[in-house]
């Protein structure tokens, strides 16, 4: 008679051990499914819309190709990197980026006056973006900021320099960045 009791006792202990193991594994699974948050070194996939003070949309990728960046890799402006830090997959955020954390303030030294004949006649309009190369071969994209009688004033500042930027972002994915 004692034998069945011993079997029951062993079976009961086995069940307790099995239950403990299953519970521990379930706990491990919970830890693994906790969403990763944006932090330095993580690859972040984003959907975003960028607006200006007048609420005009400057850029958006909503409904298009998501943006993939490595957080902390200086691939995007500092104000956006700061705002993304700590966000989780699926999280949405609206935030404002001041010029200092965006494309900088307008630099008066970035304006250059050139002879009017250096610019094609059909491009001599305020706001026209030109393409050129520096002496060392680097591409530049100045905009015409003023047309004078004999000269044209070119603005080499980024088009969004001096502007406050308004972002709507959604984190679509956060993953460990691949080593290159």
């Amino acid at each position: 008679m004692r034998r069945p009791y011993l079997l029951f006792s062993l079976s009961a202990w086995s069940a307790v051990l099995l239950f403990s193991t299953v519970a521990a594994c379930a706990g491990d699974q919970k830890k693994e499914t906790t969403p990763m948050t944006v932090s330095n070194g993580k690859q972040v996939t984003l959907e975003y819309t960028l607006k200006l003070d007048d609420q005009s949309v400057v850029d958006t990728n909503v409904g298009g190709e998501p943006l993939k960046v490595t957080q902390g890799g200086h691939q995007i402006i500092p104000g956006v990197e700061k705002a993304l830090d700590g966000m989780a997959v699926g999280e949405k955020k609206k935030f404002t980026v001041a010029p200092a954390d965006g494309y900088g303030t307008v630099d008066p030294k970035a304006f250059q006056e050139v002879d009017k004949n250096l610019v094609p006649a059909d491009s001599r309009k305020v706001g026209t973006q030109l393409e050129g190369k520096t002496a060392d071969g680097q591409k530049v994209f100045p905009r015409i900021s003023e047309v004078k009688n004999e000269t044209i004033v070119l603005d080499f500042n980024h088009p969004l320099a001096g502007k406050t930027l308004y972002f709507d972002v959604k984190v679509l994915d956060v993953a460990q960045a691949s080593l290159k």
Side-chain angles (χ1 to χ4, degrees), residues 16-168:
V16 167
L17 287 173
L18 177 63
F19 180 75
S20 298
T21 304
V22 168
C25 288
D28 288 346
Q29 284 178 340
K30 255 187 192 175
K31 288 178 188 172
E32 289 175 17
T33 60
T34 302
M36 237 192 274
T37 59
V38 177
S39 61
N40 283 344
K42 299 286 193 281
Q43 182 178 24
V44 184
T45 305
L46 300 171
E47 189 174 78
Y48 70 91
T49 298
L50 166 60
K51 297 179 183 177
L52 298 178
D53 282 329
D54 64 2
Q55 294 305 299
S56 61
V57 175
V58 174
D59 193 19
T60 186
N61 71 344
V62 175
E65 185 72 25
L67 175 66
K68 289 186 179 187
V69 296
T70 301
Q71 179 73 355
H74 309 292
Q75 298 168 336
I76 53 178
I77 59 175
V80 174
E81 271 195 352
K82 288 177 194 173
L84 292 175
D85 200 47
M87 288 181 71
V89 173
E91 189 175 348
K92 295 178 183 180
K93 187 188 256 187
K94 291 183 179 202
F95 55 91
T96 303
V97 175
D101 286 330
Y103 293 95
T105 57
V106 175
D107 181 2
K109 295 177 186 170
F111 289 87
Q112 183 179 356
E113 201 163 333
V114 298
D115 186 294
K116 198 175 201 173
N117 295 323
L118 293 174
V119 177
D122 61 338
S123 298
R124 297 177 189 164
K125 298 175 198 101
V126 171
T128 300
Q129 184 149 11
L130 304 172
E131 182 177 339
K133 287 188 178 183
T134 62
D136 63 353
Q138 187 178 18
K139 282 188 175 184
V140 291
F141 302 93
R143 285 175 281 93
I144 296 177
S145 68
E146 189 178 351
V147 178
K148 297 181 178 182
N149 288 335
E150 302 297 320
T151 61
I152 290 183
V153 179
L154 300 177
D155 180 359
F156 287 86
N157 284 291
H158 188 282
L160 297 176
K163 307 237 187 254
T164 299
L165 309 173
Y166 301 88
F167 284 90
D168 286 335

